[in-house]
Amino acid sequence: MTVSAPAQVQDAAMIAVTFPDASTRTFARGITGAGIAASIARSLARAALVVEVDGVLRDLDWPIEHDAKVKLVRAEDPEALAVIRHDCAHVMAEAVQDLFPGTQVTIGPPIENGFYYDFFRNEPFSTDDLARIEARMAEIVKADLPFVREEVTREAARERFDGMGERFKLELLDAIPEGEPVTLYHQGGWFDLCRGPHGPSTGRIGAFKLTKVAGSYWRGDARNAQLQRIYGTAFATKAALDAHLHQLEEAERRDHRRLGREMDLFHVQEEAAGSVFWHPHGWTLWRAVENYIRRRLDGSGYVEVKTPQIYDRVFWERSGHWEKFRENMFTLEAEEKHLALKPMNCPGHVQIYNQRLHSYRDLPLRLAEFGSCHRNEPSGALHGIMRVRAFTQDDAHIFCTPEQITAESVAFCELLMKVYQDFGFQDVRVKFSDRPPVRAGEDAVWDQAEAALWEAVRAADLECTLNPGEGAFYGPKLEFVLRDAIGRDWQCGTLQVDFVLPERLDANYVGHDGAKHRPVMLHRAILGSLERFIGMLIEHYAGRLPVWLSPVQVVVATITNEADGYAAEVVERLKGVGVRAEADIRADKIGYKVREHSLRKVPLLLAVGAREQADRTVSLRRLGDSAQTSLSLDAVIALCQRESTPPDL
């Protein structure tokens, strides 16, 4: 956003620069970020990495030609991380081409947790090559080579890359839109086609680590040339890098796919890619989650419905999904009709709403569904039960009047926060996602929807950050992001204000004035995809789920076969008070049984032998604890019942 220069600034050769603290200073037109930093303090000149001009990151030597909002970004600032990683990607590409002559570079972007570069090379890279590449990278970093931006003509760039045999760069060059400048970034004698920005020099990169080698295809298309991708990560400090690498190790230990096998919860297989085979214990966990949410919804005034899986194309055209969401939908033909599996539940809920004419007295109407949906995710994006094609949402839609938006939104946020606390998530962040580039509805309607949602944010007293352009195609939304036990963020719940779909699908209610009005539709979910949320739970707790969620809450294991009958009695007593209990009366030693059930993450183990049978006691051992406690049978039944009860009961 451009700010006007103060009234006293009359000289056309001067510009006004506004800093994040709202202070304003004047500089000569064409001043650079480096020049501004040097005018403030030497320490800032040494610390600045890039400059943010009107919200866009630029090189420090970028000339500022107009009044602007300016922020000098240092290595420790969050905005710097992508720049550091982009710098490191260029250094890695140079190191690879130094060590493996003839290798062609393609693209090398920063990504969420690091960076990668795709290379074309006849011989495969191995993990042993990573150490050599890292060593060469360290030399380039130590040399502290300046990153230099050069703007060239297309013809000059083509001549350079053609002479180097970089055929992939020639394709990228052709893809640059006409009128957009062609820029190269140099570090010493190495350069690449790049928009930037970059830091001042290679010596400012910080700490880095190459993590793995993987396969890829040019432009992500299996019909194109096969490439090799080297992943890495970089941080401003070694401490931050070490913390990240520790998190990666911990994430590997907590991987829900491995734990799912060990706990015998589920599996996936190629013949049903993107769908989950739930085993008995896994489905028990699913039902525990689903039943908990259902009780919460029942207590909050929702009514549950069920809608079809397959709809005619005409239906999706009316809702707008065929135009805006078509590439993510599974389609089929039957009896010369074009059909599609539903990717979401909202249009079906409007059909239920429209079966009769509602009065304003009927509103709000809260329709909930554990809706089974299908989305055509790329096969390369599928990941265990976290990213699937067939999934179930804890979906609901609230039909309300415009005057009810705030109260309904506040009530939903309170419900959502309570649910997250019950599942053990205390750190919840909220993002406000406004209108995307591709959307339905006029700007005036979006203005109204965004204003209503901001009002709800203020009424609910939520701290919120802006997530520009990430709203749904039919309305703005709040996104609720959970931070797990090892510091990773997961976007789960959403609340969306929709004025568009009721208009497109002709939903109405009769108002106080006796006339027809359009209801507002609030799309909301708490867990989102149940599959993904269960995967999150497994990783958050490293498989050691709270007792109320554990598929098997108690195992009664015999020390000797003399106690088989007593073990069966204890199990029946536990089942009688609603505890999920099993008996282990195998002839194996108790130590073996303890190890096996610990691997399965059973939270409570009761050992019984001849002495316990005679005394009507049990020996209680908790998961992860080597100590045992002797309790009377009645006491342990009460303890297990208490700990296995869901928090909403």
Side-chain angles (χ1 to χ4, degrees), residues 8 19 23 39 47 52 150 161 165 173 177 192 258 271 273 279 295 301 313 335 404 425 428 456 465 470 594 603:
Q8 66 268 24
F19 296 102
S23 63
S39 74
E52 184 180 278
E150 179 189 10
F161 287 117
L173 182 63
D192 197 4
R258 180 177 62 80
E271 292 83 357
H279 300 188
R295 287 190 296 268
R313 167 181 174 169
E335 297 181 347
Q404 293 170 330
F425 295 99
V428 183
T465 58
E470 294 298 320
V594 169

Side-chain angles (χ1 to χ4, degrees), residues 169-316:
K169 289 300 175 184
L170 295 176
E171 286 193 41
L172 292 174
L173 182 63
D174 290 338
I176 297 175
E178 285 295 333
E180 186 173 316
V182 176
T183 55
L184 310 176
Y185 274 85
H186 298 253
Q187 69 231 25
W190 190 89
F191 65 91
D192 197 4
L193 186 68
C194 182
R195 290 191 180 94
H198 282 279
S201 66
T202 60
R204 300 289 300 279
I205 282 175
F208 60 87
K209 178 72 177 176
L210 300 186
T211 53
K212 65 177 179 178
V213 177
S216 64
Y217 293 99
W218 174 235
R219 297 188 179 279
D221 190 332
R223 295 169 296 184
N224 292 337
Q226 188 166 4
L227 306 175
Q228 298 183 67
R229 177 172 295 178
I230 298 179
Y231 285 96
T233 192
F235 289 86
T237 65
K238 187 176 186 303
L241 174 64
D242 290 344
H244 175 74
L245 295 177
H246 174 72
Q247 185 187 72
L248 291 181
E249 292 174 2
E250 188 63 19
E252 179 68 23
R253 187 178 73 84
R254 294 168 179 257
D255 191 315
H256 73 282
R257 295 167 297 181
R258 180 177 62 80
L259 290 171
R261 290 191 298 271
E262 292 177 358
M263 297 170 68
D264 193 22
L265 301 179
F266 60 83
H267 81 275
V268 295
Q269 62 188 63
E270 187 61 35
E271 292 83 357
S275 299
V276 184
F277 292 83
W278 290 100
H279 300 188
H281 288 160
W283 193 244
T284 299
L285 171 57
W286 172 288
R287 289 174 59 200
V289 172
E290 182 184 32
N291 290 339
Y292 165 84
I293 291 292
R294 179 173 282 116
R295 287 190 296 268
R296 284 289 185 203
L297 296 180
D298 289 345
S300 300
Y302 289 81
V303 289
E304 190 171 335
V305 298
K306 192 70 175 174
T307 55
Q309 291 292 299
I310 302 175
Y311 295 87
D312 193 287
R313 167 181 174 169
V314 174
F315 178 77
W316 298 113

Side-chain angles (χ1 to χ4, degrees), residues 6 9 14-19 22-27 36-37 39-41 68:
V9 178
M14 305 297 288
I15 61 170
V17 169
T18 301
F19 296 102
S23 63
T24 300
R25 290 180 59 178
T26 57
F27 294 93
I36 293 173
S39 74
I40 296 172

Side-chain angles (χ1 to χ4, degrees), residues 38 97 102 112 115 153 192 207 250 284 288 328 335 348 361 414 430 436 465 476 540 595:
Q97 290 195 308
E112 182 179 0
F115 61 88
T153 65
D192 197 4
E250 188 63 19
T284 299
N328 299 111
E335 297 181 347
R361 295 185 182 89
E414 291 174 350
V430 186
T465 58
H540 177 64
R595 286 191 298 275

